[in-house]
Amino acid sequence: MSKLDYIHFVGIKGVGMAPLAIIAKEAGMRVSGSDIKDKFITDELLSMAGIKPDVGFSKTHIKSPNLVVTTGAHGGFENIEVIEAKKKKIKVIAQGEAVGLFMDGGIFGKKFIGISVTGTHGKTTTTAMIATILRENSLDPSFLVGTGFIPSLGTSGHFGSGKYFVSEADEYMTEPRYDKTIKFMWQNPKVAVITNIEFDHPDAYKTIEDVRIACEKFAQKLGSNGTLVTSKDSPQVNILLKSYAGKVFTYGVSPENDFVVKNIKFREGKTSFQIDSFGKKTSLKLNVFGQHNAINAAGSFVVGLTLGLSPFNIKKGLLAFRGTKRRSEFVGILKSGAKLFDDYAHHPTEIRSTLRAFRQNFPKSKIVCIFQPHTYSRTKSLFDQFSKSFIDVDDLILTNIFSSLREKKDPSVSSELLAKETAKFTKNVVHFLPELSSVVEYINEQEYGKDTIVITMGAGDVYKINEKLKLR
């Protein structure tokens, strides 16, 4: 590893892989990679970094790298390129292990102070906020954020000259078939954020208790010298804290937190709020909307204080944050006059929080949500919760379930069944339009006005219809 100068990334377009490739390239290493031909939200970033992926997977793509990093998708350790690399005695690791390797910094000849952000919701936004705070204060952090373009950072991956490495910490498995180690266990941060703990990834966890236990093991890695930043708004976090003996600061709307978020207000796409902590009151503003973003910002604020930044400088950093790709992202104006947004929400809690934020920010508008469920296992396990998640929507369109490459179709659950169940809990219109092409046709035929908000939502490829919708 000390002689590492050429890394090949299998599945380089993934939101967790592209930032790694960009970091390696900026660190002066030779980078190559491969992926399927489909368009990804990371395509632009890779192009900007001068990285051109090979199309498809072939053993001919494995030339002379020192290291191959592979994704859990596209066959994982059974991918043809991985097999070829092992035949050539080239070291192969999965994306999760690579993040830990990069955060350690040894392969770059330096030592980072790691800041890891995990949790069921809010990881991407909180990671991007922390990185923005550090960058705005001239600390030039290295960072890895699992999304596409981030306006305040200009990219989702960066090799900085500073001492901090900020990264999302994924709670999914390293490689579903051969290595079930939870990805965040490869990271060894000095500061860890656990935004919340809820049940998700039913193919990785059997119960909510399993999720919490995994987070407990992650928190224990901090040791006596680390700091845990988390939220008592989450019931499972409160259980975790009963047995956690390390240094901890808590944030959220509950008065039980050390840093309490109050007086949240929305106006014209912006959010203002107050944080009360240890007898002090701090007013903050964001250029994004939603209570969930105010809470994410509070967690980022606490991390900033932990690192020794002043409240003034943290506020300056948060004000510079302008959202991330696929998080309540404004896409444009439809020819009908409606405003078009896109969001990655794919868990019932995320859906409710995001739609509530839209309702609060656009109280007089009609809200149309186009939701594409992500994975059969998640839809089936959280079916009842999904059906009650769209109360803030006036017009709901459900499309077919987007199946992960790591699972098989489950005929016992479908979006059609979810549409019928959801209709029981709302007086508003619920449509089942199985194909995305039908959704495009439907939306383009509607005579929406400027008082309508249209949101594409989901972790699959629903966002791609935005290219086919008629915009001004």
Side-chain angles (χ1 to χ4, degrees):
M1 286 300 188
S2 62
K3 297 180 180 179
L4 187 62
D5 60 6
Y6 174 18
I7 306 178
H8 180 80
F9 295 86
V10 180
I12 194 170
K13 292 184 179 183
V15 293
M17 293 287 272
L20 279 174
I22 293 169
I23 291 169
K25 181 78 181 292
E26 291 186 354
M29 295 182 181
R30 181 183 172 192
V31 168
S32 63
S34 56
D35 215 314
I36 58 178
K37 187 177 181 179
D38 294 15
K39 184 176 181 179
F40 282 66
I41 63 173
T42 59
D43 286 350
E44 181 182 357
L45 295 179
L46 291 170
S47 178
M48 288 168 55
I51 300 172
K52 185 178 181 180
D54 293 319
V55 178
F57 303 103
S58 169
K59 61 184 181 181
T60 61
H61 295 159
I62 303 299
K63 297 179 175 65
S64 57
N66 309 111
L67 176 68
V68 170
V69 179
T70 188
T71 174
H74 308 300
F77 288 147
E78 292 184 350
N79 184 282
I80 190 172
E81 295 184 4
V82 172
I83 294 172
E84 180 66 13
K86 289 182 176 179
K87 283 182 180 179
K88 292 184 174 183
K89 308 299 183 183
I90 299 168
K91 185 173 179 62
V92 176
I93 62 176
Q95 184 269 346
E97 184 175 358
V99 176
L101 183 69
F102 280 35
M103 177 179 283
D104 178 68
I107 62 171
F108 306 120
K110 64 186 297 184
K111 183 69 176 178
F112 287 115
I113 296 174
I115 303 169
S116 299
V117 183
T118 193
T120 312
H121 324 293
K123 292 186 293 294
T124 297
T125 298
T126 304
T127 307
M129 283 180 169
I130 294 170
T132 300
I133 290 169
L134 296 176
R135 171 168 278 195
E136 288 298 310
N137 284 281
S138 302
L139 294 172
D140 194 22
S142 298
F143 54 83
L144 188 158
V145 189
T147 187
F149 187 74
I150 304 170
S152 59
L153 298 171
T155 181
S156 61
H158 173 61
F159 180 75
S161 61
K163 61 183 178 180
Y164 297 110
F165 192 109
V166 190
S167 177
E168 275 194 53
D170 195 344
E171 75 276 23
Y172 192 65
M173 297 177 286
T174 298
E175 208 275 5
R177 180 172 293 185
Y178 295 103
D179 189 347
K180 298 185 184 299
T181 303
I182 301 304
K183 288 185 181 182
F184 56 43
M185 294 303 292
W186 295 104
Q187 300 183 28
N188 295 291
K190 182 77 171 180
V191 178
V193 180
I194 300 178
T195 57
N196 41 62
I197 301 173
E198 289 196 46
F199 184 66
D200 196 8
H201 301 299
D203 54 339
Y205 303 97
K206 292 182 179 180
T207 65
I208 182 62
E209 287 74 23
D210 291 336
V211 182
R212 187 190 68 246
I213 290 170
C215 290
E216 288 174 349
K217 291 178 179 177
F218 176 60
Q220 294 298 338
K221 298 193 74 177
L222 289 165
S224 59
N225 295 321
T227 302
L228 175 64
V229 177
T230 189
S231 177
K232 286 188 175 181
D233 293 355
S234 174
Q236 291 297 321
V237 166
N238 285 304
I239 297 174
L240 181 153
L241 291 176
K242 289 179 181 179
S243 60
Y244 184 71
K247 184 178 180 180
V248 59
F249 292 110
T250 58
Y251 66 93
V253 295
S254 168
E256 300 299 317
N257 288 292
D258 298 318
F259 294 81
V260 183
V261 179
K262 294 182 176 180
N263 302 326
I264 305 173
K265 298 178 182 179
F266 314 105
R267 184 179 179 183
E268 297 179 350
K270 304 179 187 298
T271 304
S272 62
F273 61 102
Q274 177 181 303
I275 294 179
D276 289 2
S277 58
F278 305 105
K280 297 182 179 179
K281 301 180 186 296
T282 306
S283 297
L284 296 97
K285 293 181 180 180
L286 298 174
N287 284 312
V288 291
F289 61 88
Q291 176 172 304
H292 59 301
N293 280 322
I295 295 172
N296 292 333
S300 305
F301 181 84
V302 177
V303 170
L305 293 178
T306 299
L307 300 179
L309 295 175
S310 70
F312 175 82
N313 285 334
I314 299 171
K315 289 165 64 174
K316 178 182 69 173
L318 286 171
L319 197 59
F321 179 75
R322 300 190 301 280
T324 74
K325 189 74 173 174
R326 301 219 62 216
R327 269 68 178 182
S328 299
E329 178 190 6
F330 177 66
V331 177
I333 305 291
L334 294 174
K335 282 195 172 182
S336 63
K339 295 182 178 68
L340 178 63
F341 289 84
D342 178 55
D343 197 272
Y344 188 72
H346 56 282
H347 183 282
T349 300
E350 295 168 347
I351 294 167
R352 287 194 298 271
S353 296
T354 301
L355 293 177
R356 185 182 307 120
F358 273 98
R359 177 58 70 197
Q360 291 171 330
N361 194 66
F362 301 100
K364 297 180 180 180
S365 296
K366 176 181 180 179
I367 296 179
V368 179
C369 179
I370 303 160
F371 180 63
Q372 180 190 55
H374 185 254
T375 76
Y376 290 97
S377 57
R378 178 184 287 115
T379 307
K380 186 173 184 177
S381 296
L382 303 175
F383 189 87
D384 290 341
Q385 295 180 44
F386 275 118
S387 68
K388 302 178 180 69
S389 297
F390 300 94
I391 57 174
D392 284 309
V393 170
D394 298 298
D395 195 345
L396 173 63
I397 300 167
L398 289 171
T399 74
N400 276 335
I401 295 170
F402 183 91
S403 178
S404 167
L405 292 173
R406 59 182 180 251
E407 70 173 3
K408 296 180 180 179
K409 183 175 181 178
D410 185 345
S412 68
V413 65
S414 70
S415 290
E416 185 174 15
L417 290 173
L418 181 59
K420 291 178 180 178
E421 187 67 17
T422 302
K424 298 177 183 178
F425 300 99
T426 178
K427 297 179 181 179
N428 301 315
V429 179
V430 179
H431 303 273
F432 170 58
L433 298 178
E435 303 302 326
L436 294 180
S437 57
S438 299
V439 176
V440 171
E441 183 178 355
Y442 174 84
I443 296 296
N444 283 336
E445 289 177 348
Q446 302 306 303
E447 296 181 356
Y448 297 130
K450 62 181 181 180
D451 60 345
T452 299
I453 304 295
V454 177
I455 312 161
T456 52
M457 181 176 285
D461 62 357
V462 65
Y463 68 93
K464 293 182 179 180
I465 72 170
N466 293 334
E467 299 176 350
K468 299 177 182 179
L469 294 176
K470 296 177 181 178
L471 298 177
R472 286 183 176 174

